[in-house]
Amino acid sequence: MNERLKELIGRLEIKHSLSLEEYEYLIENRCEEAAKLLAEKAVRVRQEIYGRDVYVRGLIEFSNICKNDCLYCGIRRSNKDCDRYRLSEEDILSCCEQGYELGFRTFVLQSGEDGYFTDEILCPLIRKIKSLYPDCAVTLSLGERSRESYQRLFDAGADRYLLRHETADKAHYERLHPAEMSFDHRMQCLRDLKEIGYQTGCGFMVGSPFQTAHMLAEDLKFIETFRPQMCGIGPFIPHKATPFKDEPGGGLELTCYLLSIIRLIVPDVLLPATTALGTIHPTGREKGILSGANVVMPNLSPVSVRKKYELYDNKICTGEESAECRNCLSLRMESIGYHVVTDRGDVKRLLT
Ligand code: 5AD
Ligand code: FES
């Protein structure tokens, strides 16, 4: 590894910041040794803040109906082969009940942008979950909504919101999305969420079509300035019914490299080793944890709908019961010396 790389990594660890050009250099000149050094440092800072605890989030994919048409996504509205479903309130509550039994203390309610789920429907549901499980956090992942709506959902008791920015490069964003979707609006949503008081998560895909090292550097700079409480990154995986079906997917090594860098930029960030990472490699999630991630998000959705929430091809865990996933993940984490804990897993913010 050259001296410049070494110096950049050392400085990143101390200052949590590099210039855009330096981030780009770090990405362009990635080598095994640099990856190892970054992972060592990332694991050390994560250890200082979160120990060897791994937080689990029970993901409830409650509707795959979506008005958006993101070019990379398997549940985009143009995909006529997608078998659409919507869970009832009763179904969702039963996922929570099972999840609670299994030791989950965060429920992530995720869906496509489904107009059926108005604030009038969602607020009572959130209130109900919070009253049944007062020791649990509710995370929403419902896409773009108005500031007023975000405020109402927050007032109903939602604690966290995940909205990946997808790419911090506006021109790149426009190549991945149809003209009616707006980069500026998405970024505005993220600022609104944080201002309202949600623990807010942004994130992006690694290896998405047209992505360059410069664009990844922009993502890192955005994360440095936005300082999210959570950050979801995972490899892009082509879906057979999208325009990007023949594109190459993102890689394990680059994703893990970026996880380590993000841990050093925002030491206390809640950083998942995503299901997509587990999809591209049998031990991808373990490798993610060993690169500085500290969260896993197994599926709590009913097995009957799991295959239908197919953002990308070959998604794992679509045939398993929730209990199987939870056990499997515990074993996987134990196998690398980490422990899945029964805990809300809030951010341990060092500085605000
Ligand atoms: N591959 C990987 N991730 C994807 N997502 C959507 N489609 C894909 C794909 N083909 C990610 C997006 C979205 C999140 C819910 O899933 O980043 O924000
Ligand atoms: Fe689902 Fe292993 S995490 S089966």
Side-chain angles (χ1 to χ4, degrees):
M1 179 177 21
N2 71 39
E3 284 308 312
R4 172 127 200 252
L5 267 178
K6 239 187 233 164
E7 191 272 325
L8 291 179
I9 294 170
R11 180 146 50 86
L12 180 63
E13 181 187 23
I14 296 165
K15 303 260 191 204
H16 318 296
S17 170
L18 293 176
S19 72
L20 189 62
E21 294 69 36
E22 290 167 337
Y23 283 130
E24 190 173 338
Y25 184 91
L26 199 56
I27 294 161
E28 287 257 79
N29 296 278
R30 175 169 62 93
C31 62
E32 246 175 73
E33 260 188 294
K36 199 163 156 260
L37 183 62
L38 278 165
E40 262 170 39
K41 291 183 184 299
V43 163
R44 198 181 315 137
V45 297
R46 192 268 323 275
Q47 165 85 29
E48 279 166 19
I49 304 169
Y50 295 106
R52 285 178 170 260
D53 290 354
V54 173
Y55 297 138
V56 274
R57 319 300 194 194
L59 183 61
I60 306 172
E61 298 156 333
F62 67 90
S63 167
N64 69 351
I65 297 172
C66 192
K67 70 170 167 57
N68 280 340
D69 215 17
C70 308
L71 273 70
Y72 45 83
C73 181
I75 66 169
R76 65 199 298 262
R77 69 159 189 265
S78 297
N79 180 8
K80 301 294 178 240
D81 287 334
C82 176
D83 190 358
R84 306 287 168 172
Y85 72 91
R86 201 177 260 152
L87 297 185
S88 66
E89 172 166 316
E90 195 188 345
D91 294 333
I92 297 172
L93 290 171
S94 122
C95 292
C96 295
E97 189 184 339
Q98 275 188 45
Y100 192 87
E101 281 297 305
L102 293 170
F104 290 93
R105 295 297 177 266
T106 291
F107 303 119
V108 182
L109 301 181
Q110 184 172 84
S111 69
E113 291 195 15
D114 179 353
Y116 170 82
F117 287 97
T118 57
D119 301 341
E120 288 66 34
I121 304 261
L122 288 168
C123 289
L125 174 64
I126 294 165
R127 273 190 230 105
K128 186 139 199 189
I129 297 174
K130 292 292 289 191
S131 71
L132 288 168
Y133 309 104
D135 53 339
C136 291
V138 169
T139 303
L140 303 176
S141 177
L142 317 170
E144 296 176 42
R145 301 174 80 93
S146 68
R147 183 176 176 127
E148 293 68 38
S149 171
Y150 287 147
Q151 184 70 58
R152 283 191 282 271
L153 301 170
F154 183 77
D155 294 340
D159 302 273
R160 312 191 186 120
Y161 204 105
L162 302 174
L163 182 73
R164 290 189 177 181
H165 64 283
E166 310 298 358
T167 169
D169 184 289
K170 184 168 171 146
H172 185 215
Y173 185 92
E174 289 169 355
R175 296 183 76 177
L176 298 179
H177 299 91
E180 76 258 16
M181 289 181 70
S182 151
F183 172 78
D184 294 326
H185 185 258
R186 200 164 184 90
M187 289 303 204
Q188 186 57 50
C189 286
L190 279 167
R191 287 189 292 269
D192 287 342
L193 288 162
K194 205 157 178 249
E195 271 178 33
I196 288 168
Y198 284 99
Q199 293 180 37
T200 303
C202 63
F204 60 91
M205 292 179 290
V206 179
S208 62
F210 321 115
Q211 189 178 61
T212 61
H214 179 73
M215 292 168 187
L216 285 170
E218 291 177 288
D219 287 316
L220 296 175
K221 200 56 173 174
F222 170 66
I223 289 164
E224 181 194 310
T225 48
F226 184 64
R227 291 193 32 84
Q229 283 87 5
M230 306 173 282
C231 183
I233 74 160
F236 162 70
I237 304 173
H239 185 285
K240 56 186 176 310
T242 66
F244 295 148
K245 61 177 184 304
D246 297 321
E247 296 294 319
L252 174 72
E253 282 76 21
L254 179 57
T255 305
C256 289
Y257 192 75
L258 292 164
L259 284 171
S260 300
I261 294 173
I262 292 168
R263 170 64 62 204
L264 295 179
I265 296 174
V266 189
D268 51 21
V269 74
L270 296 164
L271 193 62
T274 61
T275 302
L277 200 53
T279 298
I280 60 164
H281 190 276
T283 56
R285 288 166 296 176
E286 292 88 323
K287 177 112 201 291
I289 297 293
L290 293 172
S291 304
N294 68 328
V295 172
V296 285
M297 302 176 67
N299 209 306
L300 270 186
S301 313
V303 178
S304 57
V305 303
R306 279 195 195 186
K307 245 211 95 45
K308 299 179 186 169
Y309 203 89
E310 194 187 47
L311 308 178
Y312 47 79
D313 288 337
N314 307 317
K315 186 176 164 197
I316 54 169
C317 301
T318 55
E320 341 286 325
E321 291 290 345
S322 305
E324 292 178 69
C325 275
R326 164 71 196 217
N327 290 335
C328 170
L329 269 174
S330 284
L331 288 171
R332 285 171 179 271
M333 295 303 124
E334 292 294 332
S335 81
I336 55 169
Y338 286 74
H339 319 290
V340 169
V341 292
T342 296
D343 192 296
R344 275 175 53 119
D346 286 298
V347 70
K348 294 189 179 161
R349 197 99 269 200
L350 299 178
L351 314 153
T352 40

